[in-house]
Amino acid sequence: MEKREPSHMLDLPAIKSQIGEVNFCFRQEVTSTNDWARDSASQLKAGEINLFLAENQTAGRGRGDHVWYSGPGSLTFSLLMPCPFNLQDPRRGLLALATGCGICTALRSWGFETQIKWPNDVFFRQRKLAGVLIESVDHNRVIIGCGINVNNEVSCIESATNLRSHASDPVDLSEILIALVRAINWRVSSIEQAPGELIGLVAQYDGLVGKLVQWSTGRKTGTGVAQGIADDGSLRILTDQGEIGVHSGSVTVLSNL
Ligand code: BTN
């Protein structure tokens, strides 16, 4: 049997006992933890929070038609949880931002000064460290899929980084996961009660503010200087025609100005 590297190992009993109210399911291999969560949703109670963790995904998905490549030593998981508003709500963008804030808060406690890159990424030193994929199940629940590069190899993934490259020793996957799940759960669950606190945190972690960016919504594209995130989660951009709000799409940094 192939011997697993210590930096790729998960302490399942520790995870189960330290994620509080969250139910825990683990599989060695799935197509995608988001698909697994969706397929399981009908058997689970609406008010519950469930963590779906897999060591390997054979068809990990990103936003749009992107593929999420991971590998041994990475974290790939989905949280199925009650949602304070459905995905038709204009504030739906806050879900990915709240998740990004949870990821940043957890990783900053290890000293990794990560930043949010609107709308759904977490960057570290100008490279992508983590991605978030939010999907709805029904009117009351969402799936929050997270892929985090921890001890996995990222040299063949363009513009990516991992935590391992910035730490003196391999990072403990289980400890990081526990902190991530707690922080994401807390941040997403408090979107409605404390929206101002969330927006304040987003501003603190915003990695785009002040940068010259190119934005694209699929139909429209343009350039301007990022001004921060509005209360509804849209990206404010100062263009030659004045300030606009971009509600969905993607952004590329052109320069730090
Ligand atoms: C992105 O960067 O576009 C989002 C990436 C999200 C990847 C995670 S890994 C766990 C979950 N399952 C998936 O298939 N995707 C998300």
Side-chain angles (χ1 to χ4, degrees):
M1 207 170 104
E2 197 188 316
K3 200 157 177 277
R4 205 170 291 150
E5 271 208 36
S7 66
H8 299 167
M9 276 163 44
L10 290 159
D11 182 345
L12 301 178
I15 295 167
K16 191 173 166 55
S17 68
Q18 288 179 54
I19 52 174
E21 53 173 349
V22 179
N23 301 321
F24 178 44
C25 313
F26 171 78
R27 283 187 187 166
Q28 221 116 42
E29 189 167 276
V30 294
T31 52
S32 146
T33 55
N34 270 34
D35 295 345
W36 178 23
R38 178 186 305 281
D39 294 344
S40 312
S42 62
Q43 290 124 49
L44 300 168
K45 292 205 193 87
E48 285 178 354
I49 304 170
N50 291 274
L51 168 65
F52 296 86
L53 172 69
E55 215 160 47
N56 188 38
Q57 296 186 124
T58 55
R61 295 185 284 110
R63 289 173 75 230
D65 54 4
H66 291 185
V67 173
W68 181 258
Y69 296 103
S70 45
S74 74
L75 284 174
T76 49
F77 62 91
S78 300
L79 281 163
L80 171 67
M81 56 190 293
C83 179
F85 40 76
N86 72 40
L87 295 192
Q88 314 315 322
D89 192 294
R91 297 168 299 168
R92 62 188 174 275
L94 291 177
L95 280 166
L97 293 168
T99 306
C101 278
I103 294 173
C104 289
T105 303
L107 297 180
R108 281 173 177 230
S109 67
W110 264 267
F112 298 109
E113 290 290 301
T114 49
Q115 292 186 305
I116 291 175
K117 177 176 173 274
W118 185 95
N120 70 318
D121 291 338
V122 171
F123 268 52
F124 186 59
R125 302 196 180 156
Q126 324 299 334
R127 286 177 171 263
K128 182 160 170 168
L129 179 76
V132 175
L133 178 66
I134 308 271
E135 294 177 319
S136 58
V137 183
D138 45 41
H139 285 306
N140 311 309
R141 289 183 295 176
V142 283
I143 297 167
I144 298 178
C146 301
I148 328 268
N149 298 319
V150 184
N151 296 322
N152 54 309
E153 187 54 60
V154 288
S155 51
C156 47
I157 310 175
E158 208 192 325
S159 312
T161 192
N162 60 6
L163 294 180
R164 175 70 188 97
S165 313
H166 307 280
S168 48
D169 294 309
V171 180
D172 189 305
L173 272 185
S174 309
E175 283 178 14
I176 291 272
L177 175 74
I178 292 161
L180 288 167
V181 169
R182 286 181 177 169
I184 295 168
N185 183 13
W186 169 253
R187 207 25 77 202
V188 172
S189 304
S190 51
I191 291 180
E192 274 223 303
Q193 294 80 358
E197 194 182 298
L198 172 62
I199 292 300
L201 210 53
V202 171
Q204 195 183 318
Y205 297 159
D206 184 359
L208 290 180
V209 69
K211 294 191 173 156
L212 180 64
V213 296
Q214 179 167 53
W215 54 270
S216 164
T217 60
R219 282 176 301 137
K220 281 188 183 167
T221 170
T223 56
V225 178
Q227 304 293 302
I229 312 289
D231 289 357
D232 62 359
S234 58
L235 179 66
R236 296 167 45 221
I237 299 181
L238 186 59
T239 71
D240 288 345
Q241 287 76 44
E243 188 174 302
I244 57 161
V246 180
H247 291 264
S248 62
S250 59
V251 163
T252 310
V253 175
L254 298 176
S255 86
N256 288 323
L257 289 181

